């Protein structure tokens, strides 16, 4: 199977040196994560049954599934020799895999999720991924091969964006090597939420501010800039909206263009009023 680990703080040298371990989350955090894939069906069987042949009871002790079905999984010989009953299929020219007719078949791609912060998706970033893949030979032997892949994350990419490296996965005789696909995922943000190319922010104001007006809301942007919104001499209803143009995410297909910041105003009501305060409220609004 394929083993991979990624990091950004230590870069390519850190990957080559096997530097792992924890670290703070967020942009530039020095951490690696590893995972193991099985592209070979017999490797999957072995993970459940160990080295025992799970088909021994069906076929007896002589040869097991691999020898009974010849070319299963891309081994030479097609499906020849299944207990003698399907020997006629063994000599099919150009056969590949269990039912292959024609060119070399390709293994299903390997997918790995890459979680990225909103800041990384805003600015763009580079991730290094060390891949260790297995090269299987027709004689049953195998070897491992290491490679460092560079993931160039473009500003404005959304969750679900795929970055494909063709042929970087495990390789089997008679088949094309697997593709390795990295799937972008978005980490939750502490005060912002993404909606397409826009960013959403909720501003809290007091009941006094909502009733009297004449105040200013300061909105923090994703770049830590403080953006003021002036509220005039008018009352503000809970759920009121304001838009700050150009303070959203970069639009990846339109370089230089940005979405907007959409601000929802939430009014904080007092948790308790004294008897005197209630009388004043009734007198003013009654």
């Amino acid at each position: 199977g394929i083993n991979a680990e990624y990091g950004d703080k230590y870069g390519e040298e850190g990957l080559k040196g096997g530097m792992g371990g924890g670290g703070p989350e967020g942009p530039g955090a020095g951490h690696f994560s590893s995972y193991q894939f099985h592209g070979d069906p017999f490797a999957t069987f072995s993970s459940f049954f160990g080295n025992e042949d799970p088909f021994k009871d069906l076929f007896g002790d002589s040869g097991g599934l691999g020898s009974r079905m010849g070319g299963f999984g891309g081994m030479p010989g097609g499906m020849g020799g299944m207990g003698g009953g399907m020997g006629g299929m063994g000599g099919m020219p150009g056969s590949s895999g269990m039912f292959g007719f024609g060119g070399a078949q390709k293994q299903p791609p390997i997918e790995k999720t890459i979680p990225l912060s909103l800041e990384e998706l805003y600015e763009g970033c580079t991730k290094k991924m060390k891949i260790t893949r297995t090269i299987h030979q027709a004689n049953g032997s195998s070897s491992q091969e290491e490679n460092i892949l560079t993931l160039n994350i473009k500003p404005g990419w959304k969750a679900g964006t795929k970055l494909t490296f063709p042929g970087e996965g495990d390789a089997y005789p008679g088949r094309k090597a697997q593709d390795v696909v990295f799937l972008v995922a978005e980490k939750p943000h502490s005060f912002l939420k993404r909606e397409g190319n826009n960013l959403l922010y909720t501003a809290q104001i007091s009941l006094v501010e909502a009733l009297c007006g004449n105040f200013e809301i300061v909105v923090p942007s994703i770049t830590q800039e403080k953006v003021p919104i002036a509220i005039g001499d008018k009352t503000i209803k809970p759920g009121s909206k304001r838009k700050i143009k150009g303070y959203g995410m970069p639009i990846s297909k339109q370089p230089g263009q940005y979405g907007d910041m959409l601000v929802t105003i939430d009014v904080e009501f007092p948790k308790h009023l004294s008897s005197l305060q209630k009388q004043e409220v009734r007198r003013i609004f009654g």
Side-chain angles (χ1 to χ4, degrees), residues 37-218:
F37 294 99
H38 290 296
D40 183 356
F42 292 107
T44 304
F45 287 142
S46 297
S47 68
F48 284 98
F49 299 101
N51 292 326
E52 290 293 325
D53 187 344
F55 298 94
K56 182 191 298 183
D57 293 338
L58 294 177
F59 298 106
D61 293 331
S62 58
L65 180 65
S67 61
R68 296 288 180 175
M69 296 190 67
F72 185 114
M75 296 297 288
M79 291 184 65
M82 182 182 278
M86 296 184 69
M89 293 184 68
M92 280 190 153
S95 63
S96 173
M98 186 173 180
F99 298 105
F101 300 93
Q105 293 180 342
K106 197 169 190 176
Q107 291 284 81
I110 296 167
E111 286 196 0
K112 170 64 179 174
T113 299
I114 301 297
L116 299 170
S117 69
L118 207 52
E119 286 81 2
E120 288 173 320
L121 292 172
Y122 182 90
E123 298 286 351
C125 63
T126 299
K127 297 286 184 181
K128 299 285 188 178
M129 176 74 75
K130 183 170 73 175
I131 292 292
T132 304
R133 67 175 187 163
T134 303
I135 309 298
H136 300 270
Q137 306 297 336
N139 62 6
S141 65
S142 64
S143 60
Q144 289 193 324
E145 182 181 277
E146 288 188 354
N147 190 18
I148 295 177
L149 305 180
T150 301
L151 283 65
N152 292 313
I153 309 300
K154 304 298 183 184
W157 274 9
K158 296 181 174 71
T161 301
K162 291 184 177 182
L163 192 59
T164 301
F165 291 84
E168 291 290 347
D170 287 350
Y172 296 87
R175 302 184 188 184
K176 295 180 180 179
Q178 295 170 291
D179 293 345
V180 177
V181 179
F182 296 101
L183 189 67
V184 172
E186 185 181 301
K187 295 179 182 178
H189 196 270
S190 58
F191 60 87
L192 293 173
K193 185 178 180 181
R194 185 176 185 175
E195 188 177 82
N197 295 317
N198 296 326
L199 291 174
L200 311 182
Y201 177 76
T202 300
Q204 304 283 342
I205 66 172
S206 68
L207 181 58
V208 172
E209 289 172 325
L211 293 174
C212 300
N214 288 321
F215 67 98
E216 187 177 81
I217 297 173
V218 178

Side-chain angles (χ1 to χ4, degrees), residues 197-276:
N197 295 317
N198 296 326
L199 291 174
L200 311 182
Y201 177 76
T202 300
Q204 304 283 342
I205 66 172
S206 68
L207 181 58
V208 172
E209 289 172 325
L211 293 174
C212 300
N214 288 321
F215 67 98
E216 187 177 81
I217 297 173
V218 178
V219 178
S221 74
I222 193 170
T223 59
Q224 303 304 313
E225 182 181 351
K226 305 297 184 183
V227 185
I229 299 177
I231 305 297
D233 185 15
K234 55 185 177 182
T235 59
I236 299 295
K237 295 180 180 179
S240 296
K241 309 285 186 182
R242 295 292 187 275
K243 180 190 291 186
I244 308 175
K245 291 192 67 65
Y247 278 83
M249 295 293 290
I251 302 175
S252 59
K253 295 182 180 180
Q254 301 177 35
Q257 299 297 310
Y258 292 81
D260 301 325
M261 173 85 79
L262 305 180
V263 181
T264 300
I265 300 176
D266 186 27
V267 179
E268 293 183 285
F269 284 78
K271 294 182 173 62
H272 178 265
L273 292 176
S274 67
S275 298
L276 182 59

